Amino acid sequence: MKLRYLAILAIFSCLAMTAQEKRERTLLATDRSFYAAGESIKCSAFCLDAEGSYSGFSSIAYVEVYGNEGTVATGKISLVNGRGGGSVELPSDIPTGNYRIAAYTTTNKNESGYDFNTTSRVITVFNTSGTAREKNGVKVVQELSPAASLPHNSGNLRVNVGAVEDGFLPVSITADKDASVSISVWKDEGFARYDNNSLGTLAKLAWKQPTAKVRNVVEDYDGEVIYARISGSIDSSAIFLASPGSRSDIYRGKMLQDGRTAFFTDNIYGDKDVAIISLSGIPAAFDASIESPFTGIKADFVPTMELAPSMKDGLTALDAALRIGKSFDADTLYSALKVRKLDLLGPWQNRYVLDDYTRFVTMREVFIEYLHDIRIDRDRDGVNMIVKTVDVKGLASFRHFAPSLILLDGVPVTDHSIIYNLDPMLIRSVEIYPSNYSFGTSFFCGAANFVTFAGNLSGAQLGRNSRILSFRGASVPMVYSAAKAAYDPDFPAGAPAKAVRHKDERGQGIPAGETFDADVVAPGLPGNYVITVEGFTSDGVPLFYQQKL
């Protein structure tokens, strides 16, 4: 919730009270069940409420990949109307073995005694560049045990699969009710040998658990609520969190009774640095740390992985694909959705693209020669930038009763000399906002955003009033594009054909009775392929279809 502090106060207790009654279960479909270390697991998330319908409550799901020795990878998936898609990066040094992958929302996480293993699935990871193995998790055999049987198809879902032509597999999907599904196509090398329940079965198992009381927590309704521990003599009412590269990712903190500071976001995307800033105007050193939102699931049982000589050719292909940098993404049909963000400052009125002007070697020359919407004042405290504002009568003025908000790549900067002394060759543009802005108890007359080419502060040190921290944001939302991708003739032999992660279209899915047509990239290589389509109708009826091609 973007800097709407009064609104937050008004609904804060309401959200917490609502959470007492709300139940959610988040299920994951993955593009396949086996991976090489260093690969991305493409995930499609289905968040359901107690009635079995898509939940519109939580806006982010937390994903953990874990084994006998704990959690090895984490990720976050943005949710819109109960649906989302993204990826989780596996570490390049993860040991060979079987692991479980599970997802949950804050609502689900705060149910006392809930067992996340119930809604998890087994994935197999091969580290083809090392010999490390999951402790007590791998057994070398001469012959593999029989593979688990495929689950039975369920739900009124009609899937027609054509013949591969020019590297593409035509797929048509029709459902009697509005539905949202995940589609995957992969080459069966004999690696997927472990029983994984269908989404429908997982949902049934999840709701069979005894209903636990939800603790009084604030939920991720508009987006992830980021919690930080801040120590030092600073004004807690003027603490902000900002994400470089976006003028909309600025959030005012709220001090909680337990001493933590909460930032109500509408989701920050990608792994990046974030800044926690004090805008009180009084220089004050402080320390800050961001709490991990992950619960650290403990595995109850992970099946032992079998390694046999018959797997050699398949593992060689898996290793070759990863080493040449394909990571099997050449056969992927998905595209990033446009992330909907609240525009904090509104549209800029003037924008100076520095390449359109003479390039000077100092920012002082830039201000003197053409950046006349900002006045530079000097006093004993250093440089003070004042943005020209325009009042309701259209009169422009530098006479202010409050300071101007100066940003570098969307991050507020209290020490304006940092920008004044910056190399202008790093600056792409300067955006001028001549309005007045009120963020809680902080008021600003005009704003200016200095945008660098890198968009990440370009190494600038923000001073005592700021702390830069590493942050793992939500995976950029992905959606099935259904458009043919360019066929790659160098696609490695034996590589699995990963198809689309999910059909979501921002929660709309496939309308009842309509046919969704897709051309899934499937290299014309010999071998056994499997297509899986799974998901739910809008009223929670599970859908599952799987076929060997």
Side-chain angles (χ1 to χ4, degrees):
M1 186 171 297
K2 185 79 60 181
L3 293 173
R4 291 173 291 180
Y5 186 52
L6 294 178
I8 291 173
L9 288 177
I11 66 171
F12 184 90
S13 59
C14 179
L15 282 177
M17 181 175 64
T18 303
Q20 299 285 348
E21 306 169 357
K22 194 71 178 177
R23 297 290 188 275
E24 290 178 325
R25 299 292 182 264
T26 305
L27 311 175
L28 287 180
T30 57
D31 52 336
R32 49 196 159 93
S33 60
F34 58 92
Y35 302 88
E39 274 200 279
S40 296
I41 303 174
K42 301 300 188 297
C43 303
S44 187
F46 301 80
C47 183
L48 308 177
D49 60 22
E51 288 72 40
S53 301
Y54 289 109
S55 174
F57 193 70
S58 294
S59 293
I60 194 167
Y62 302 95
V63 182
E64 292 190 36
V65 179
Y66 60 99
N68 294 323
E69 298 184 86
T71 299
V72 296
T74 58
K76 302 173 184 176
I77 296 178
S78 174
L79 297 174
V80 176
N81 298 327
R83 287 288 281 121
S87 62
V88 176
E89 302 289 334
L90 290 172
S92 58
D93 59 350
I94 183 174
T96 294
N98 285 333
Y99 297 86
R100 289 190 175 274
I101 184 170
Y104 49 85
T105 62
T106 299
T107 302
N108 191 188
K109 181 177 70 173
N110 287 285
E111 291 185 49
S112 177
Y114 182 79
D115 183 8
F116 297 102
N117 291 282
T118 304
T119 53
S120 68
R121 282 179 159 178
V122 177
I123 63 169
T124 299
V125 179
F126 299 97
N127 192 322
T128 55
S129 61
T131 59
R133 297 176 181 176
E134 179 76 345
K135 185 178 180 180
N136 300 323
V138 180
K139 179 172 64 175
V140 178
V141 297
Q142 290 302 310
E143 292 186 7
L144 295 171
S145 302
S149 59
L150 299 177
H152 295 292
N153 295 340
S154 62
N156 198 354
L157 187 70
R158 296 180 294 279
V159 180
N160 294 317
V161 182
V164 175
E165 182 178 354
D166 297 329
F168 293 93
L169 180 71
V171 178
S172 297
I173 303 171
T174 308
D176 288 347
K177 298 181 179 180
D178 292 347
S180 188
V181 300
S182 166
I183 311 168
S184 64
V185 177
W186 45 275
K187 190 177 182 208
D188 186 6
E189 295 284 4
F191 298 154
R193 312 193 60 80
Y194 307 98
D195 185 21
N196 272 322
N197 290 316
S198 66
L199 293 179
T201 301
L202 292 177
K204 291 179 181 179
L205 293 173
W207 292 114
K208 282 184 178 180
Q209 292 196 50
T211 300
K213 182 179 180 180
V214 180
R215 296 192 295 271
N216 189 18
V217 296
V218 180
E219 305 301 319
D220 302 320
Y221 183 72
D222 280 335
E224 180 180 4
V225 180
I226 300 173
Y227 296 95
R229 293 281 183 180
I230 301 174
S231 60
S233 301
I234 58 175
D235 182 2
S236 60
S237 66
I239 291 293
F240 291 80
L241 181 144
S243 171
S246 171
R247 64 171 183 259
S248 61
D249 278 334
I250 306 177
Y251 308 91
R252 184 171 182 269
K254 173 178 174 54
M255 180 69 75
L256 304 180
Q257 292 182 349
D258 59 8
R260 295 180 300 167
T261 299
F263 299 95
F264 296 80
T265 80
D266 55 356
N267 284 338
I268 296 174
Y269 294 90
D271 295 345
K272 58 176 66 178
D273 289 339
V274 296
I276 293 181
I277 312 110
S278 171
L279 293 182
S280 64
I282 303 174
F286 66 93
D287 291 321
S289 61
I290 294 176
E291 290 189 352
S292 171
F294 299 99
T295 189
I297 304 174
K298 305 297 183 183
D300 59 354
F301 168 74
V302 180
T304 301
M305 174 196 222
E306 292 184 345
L307 284 176
S310 61
M311 303 170 70
K312 179 179 179 181
D313 291 342
L315 290 176
T316 300
L318 196 70
D319 179 62
L322 186 64
R323 287 182 182 276
I324 64 177
K326 300 294 185 182
S327 292
F328 310 138
D329 281 338
D331 62 332
T332 298
L333 281 178
Y334 65 92
S335 58
L337 287 169
K338 182 178 181 181
V339 176
R340 294 182 296 187
K341 287 288 202 177
L342 296 174
D343 197 338
L344 172 68
L345 300 176
W348 44 261
Q349 178 167 312
N350 292 329
R351 181 171 182 258
Y352 296 86
V353 178
L354 270 61
D355 280 345
D356 293 342
Y357 300 85
T358 301
R359 276 290 185 175
F360 294 101
V361 297
T362 66
M363 286 301 296
R364 177 178 180 274
E365 293 171 295
V366 172
F367 286 111
I368 291 174
E369 294 299 329
Y370 56 83
L371 194 50
H372 299 152
D373 284 305
I374 301 176
R375 190 180 74 190
I376 303 298
D377 285 354
R378 291 179 177 274
D379 54 30
R380 63 182 181 180
D381 295 326
V383 174
N384 183 33
M385 295 185 185
I386 303 175
V387 178
K388 183 192 297 182
T389 58
V390 179
D391 62 20
V392 292
K393 297 181 179 179
L395 299 177
S397 173
F398 285 107
R399 299 182 63 182
H400 296 161
F401 59 89
S404 295
L405 179 62
I406 305 300
L407 307 102
L408 179 62
D409 287 329
V411 176
V413 176
T414 56
D415 184 356
H416 299 174
S417 64
I418 293 172
I419 295 178
Y420 189 78
N421 295 322
L422 200 63
D423 183 352
M425 297 303 294
L426 299 175
I427 304 295
R428 178 194 296 271
S429 63
V430 181
E431 301 167 344
I432 304 298
Y433 304 86
S435 302
N436 295 328
Y437 298 93
S438 176
F439 305 143
T441 59
S442 301
F443 197 89
F444 300 95
C445 293
N449 185 27
F450 292 77
V451 181
T452 68
F453 284 98
N456 58 4
L457 303 179
S458 293
Q461 301 297 316
L462 299 185
R464 297 178 62 196
N465 282 30
S466 304
R467 289 293 178 270
I468 304 296
L469 304 172
S470 297
F471 179 73
R472 166 154 291 180
S475 177
V476 176
M478 298 293 180
V479 67
Y480 195 83
S481 64
K484 288 188 177 181
Y487 177 60
D488 186 350
D490 297 324
F491 194 86
K498 293 193 311 192
V500 60
R501 311 313 135 210
H502 68 285
K503 173 69 174 78
D504 180 16
E505 299 296 358
R506 276 308 198 202
Q508 295 176 6
I510 304 173
E514 294 188 15
T515 298
F516 175 71
D517 296 313
D519 290 298
V520 178
V521 178
L525 302 174
N528 300 316
Y529 288 83
V530 177
I531 181 172
T532 303
V533 182
E534 55 184 336
F536 295 89
T537 63
S538 57
D539 57 356
V541 176
L543 304 170
F544 183 83
Y545 175 90
Q546 194 169 64
Q547 175 186 339
K548 290 186 176 181
L549 305 177

